[in-house]
Amino acid sequence: MIKYFDLQKVNHSFEPQLSEAVQRVTRSGWYLLGPEVKNFEKEFSNYCGTKHCIGVGNGLDALRVIIMAYRELGILQEDDEIIIPANTYIASILAIISTGLKPILCEPTLKSCNIDPEQIERLITKKTKAIMVVHLYGRTADMQPIDKIAKRYSLKVIEDCAQAHGAIYNGKRCGNLGDAGGFSFYPAKNLGALGDGGAVTTNDDKLADCIRAIANYGSQEKYINIYKGINSRLDELQAAVLSVKLPRLDNENEKRRRIAQRYISEIKNPLVTLPYVNKWEEHVFHVFTLLTPHRKELQEYLLKQEITTLIHYPIAPHKQKAMEEYSHLQLPITEQIHREELSLPISPVMTDVEASKVIEAVNGFCK
């Protein structure tokens, strides 16, 4: 059986360094806000090319604390609007709703499955204060036209980088393409911890200071609380794990690209639509997606061939019960993506033989 993603095998490839890092932390007696977090924050900010990195508890909190900090700094107000791609994972949208702002759902393009810059401007109102771009599936959003729109209307640009660790756009990495970026280190990410974890990157000194305080109960000094904060901190254990994995991130992203290149060049089945890639460095293939109106049949067929797949994601956010207030929206491109998307196995430990088997199986599918 070809697993969709063999996390155990991925983590085993980092031994014995992972076990040594875990042991170092457990023996240190320091488990929060210590040297491991400081070291990883410095390493990751250098990697992304930003002045600041603030470790937080998870990817959702990374986005939440950015918005909370902008509210504390008076840049965002309750009920302000943030434009966001309609086909993102619901966590991106929840970050906006949970902080008292209003998400405005924007259609993506079928070609990229990222937010369509041509659709953004028509959604801007007097209450629009930011654009949240989501680098979905590991592909960078088309930032150049988005930046022009943001400058024209004095909007903040917040990056959701949860699936795009290491992706590059015009020479700069994700997390350094907007005003602030939020990352998730969920175990299955391209850079994954051994549990939950997240980070914010930014070049804004005031924003960074505010975020760091908000994530620590609103405190910059113990028992002195200047904001109504939350408890969202990257712990020492996860930071140590991430420091072990970070030096191999570019190499592992390249392994994903090589598999993706094979899929794109060798899968010839007319029943599926493969991703379009213009510049390979802009995509780190957190997932490899194809679109097909025969998703259910293809998924069942591949499983019979002992190939597991996943769907990212089966229900569009505006069709979720939790977001019934958005159910009236007509978003045909978003709905098509959620109806047809299927993710093939891809990982840095996947073998050429396994990739060949996936290619052969997809090519052998007929309705």
Side-chain angles (χ1 to χ4, degrees):
M1 177 69 75
I2 298 177
K3 294 183 179 180
Y4 172 74
F5 184 77
D6 194 338
L7 183 56
Q8 186 177 24
K9 189 175 180 180
V10 169
N11 284 331
H12 183 72
S13 72
F14 287 94
E15 293 295 355
Q17 291 87 351
L18 270 188
S19 293
E20 291 168 355
V22 170
Q23 190 175 67
R24 181 177 71 246
V25 173
T26 56
R27 288 179 173 177
S28 73
W30 198 338
Y31 309 118
L32 283 170
L33 300 178
E36 300 287 354
V37 170
K38 289 180 181 177
N39 180 61
F40 174 71
E41 288 178 338
K42 182 178 180 181
E43 291 174 341
F44 197 61
S45 63
N46 287 341
Y47 177 80
C48 294
T50 58
K51 289 176 66 177
H52 303 282
C53 169
I54 305 97
V56 296
N58 54 70
L60 172 58
D61 280 355
L63 299 176
R64 289 178 63 211
V65 295
I66 292 170
I67 298 171
M68 292 173 72
Y70 276 137
R71 289 199 60 177
E72 291 289 354
L73 295 172
I75 294 169
L76 297 177
Q77 311 289 335
E78 186 171 3
D79 293 328
D80 280 346
E81 296 173 354
I82 298 180
I83 296 173
I84 186 168
N87 63 314
T88 184
Y89 181 56
I90 197 170
S92 316
I93 298 170
L94 292 176
I96 299 171
I97 294 173
S98 66
T99 49
L101 279 77
K102 183 179 179 181
I104 303 298
L105 306 186
C106 180
E107 284 270 63
T109 70
L110 267 181
K111 195 173 184 179
S112 71
C113 293
N114 276 332
I115 193 168
D116 185 349
E118 294 184 6
Q119 300 298 317
I120 292 175
E121 198 158 7
R122 68 180 183 83
L123 297 174
I124 294 174
T125 71
K126 292 181 179 179
K127 303 202 75 173
T128 306
K129 294 297 188 298
I131 303 167
M132 182 180 288
V133 296
V134 181
H135 305 301
L136 197 64
Y137 307 145
R139 181 202 297 268
T140 58
D142 191 2
M143 296 301 297
Q144 191 169 7
I146 293 171
D147 285 339
K148 288 181 179 179
I149 293 169
K151 286 181 173 63
R152 190 179 307 137
Y153 292 92
S154 300
L155 306 177
K156 293 295 181 183
V157 176
I158 301 169
E159 296 178 76
D160 182 341
C161 307
Q163 298 184 356
H165 313 69
I168 295 172
Y169 182 94
N170 286 348
K172 298 173 73 174
R173 293 194 192 273
C174 288
N176 192 23
L177 300 174
D179 295 289
F183 287 85
S184 165
F185 301 126
Y186 180 77
K189 301 296 187 183
N190 292 35
L191 180 62
L194 296 183
D196 270 327
V200 175
T201 53
T202 185
N203 293 307
D204 187 326
D205 296 340
K206 288 184 179 179
L207 183 69
D209 289 343
C210 190
I211 287 172
R212 193 173 293 280
I214 286 173
N216 186 34
Y217 298 104
S219 173
Q220 291 178 324
E221 184 179 347
K222 194 170 184 178
Y223 301 133
I224 299 176
N225 305 84
I226 54 179
Y227 307 116
K228 294 182 178 69
I230 60 174
N231 173 23
S232 183
R233 299 173 294 203
L234 182 66
D235 66 62
E236 289 286 282
L237 180 62
Q238 305 306 339
V241 167
L242 293 166
S243 288
V244 170
K245 291 186 171 186
L246 181 59
R248 274 174 46 183
L249 178 57
D250 285 344
N251 181 259
E252 299 210 333
N253 283 342
E254 192 56 39
K255 290 179 181 178
R256 289 173 179 267
R257 290 190 187 104
R258 286 201 292 269
I259 296 167
Q261 285 174 325
R262 286 201 62 194
Y263 283 168
I264 291 171
S265 64
E266 297 178 39
I267 292 175
K268 304 295 184 181
N269 194 322
L271 298 176
V272 305
T273 300
L274 299 169
Y276 170 79
V277 180
N278 182 22
K279 297 180 180 178
W280 285 93
E281 70 271 16
E282 293 181 0
H283 207 322
V284 293
F285 292 96
H286 173 61
V287 294
F288 184 93
T289 62
L290 57 80
L291 299 178
T292 176
H294 312 287
R295 178 171 68 188
K296 183 175 184 292
E297 294 85 354
L298 176 57
Q299 187 171 42
E300 291 174 352
Y301 169 81
L302 291 176
L303 188 57
K304 288 178 182 178
Q305 306 300 311
E306 298 191 323
I307 298 168
T308 55
T309 56
L310 286 181
I311 297 171
H312 296 88
Y313 304 93
I315 304 174
H318 70 288
K319 296 297 184 181
Q320 297 278 4
K321 181 175 175 57
M323 293 185 59
E324 287 180 330
E325 65 270 33
Y326 292 91
S327 62
H328 66 282
L329 294 177
Q330 301 295 313
L331 300 165
I333 296 176
T334 291
E335 290 163 21
Q336 180 181 348
I337 291 171
H338 286 268
R339 186 172 61 248
E340 296 187 357
E341 191 279 337
L342 186 68
S343 300
L344 298 182
I346 190 166
S347 84
V349 296
M350 191 175 184
T351 67
D352 287 338
V353 171
E354 289 172 327
S356 294
K357 185 176 179 181
V358 173
I359 292 164
E360 182 182 357
V362 175
N363 281 335
F365 171 73
C366 57
K367 56 182 177 175

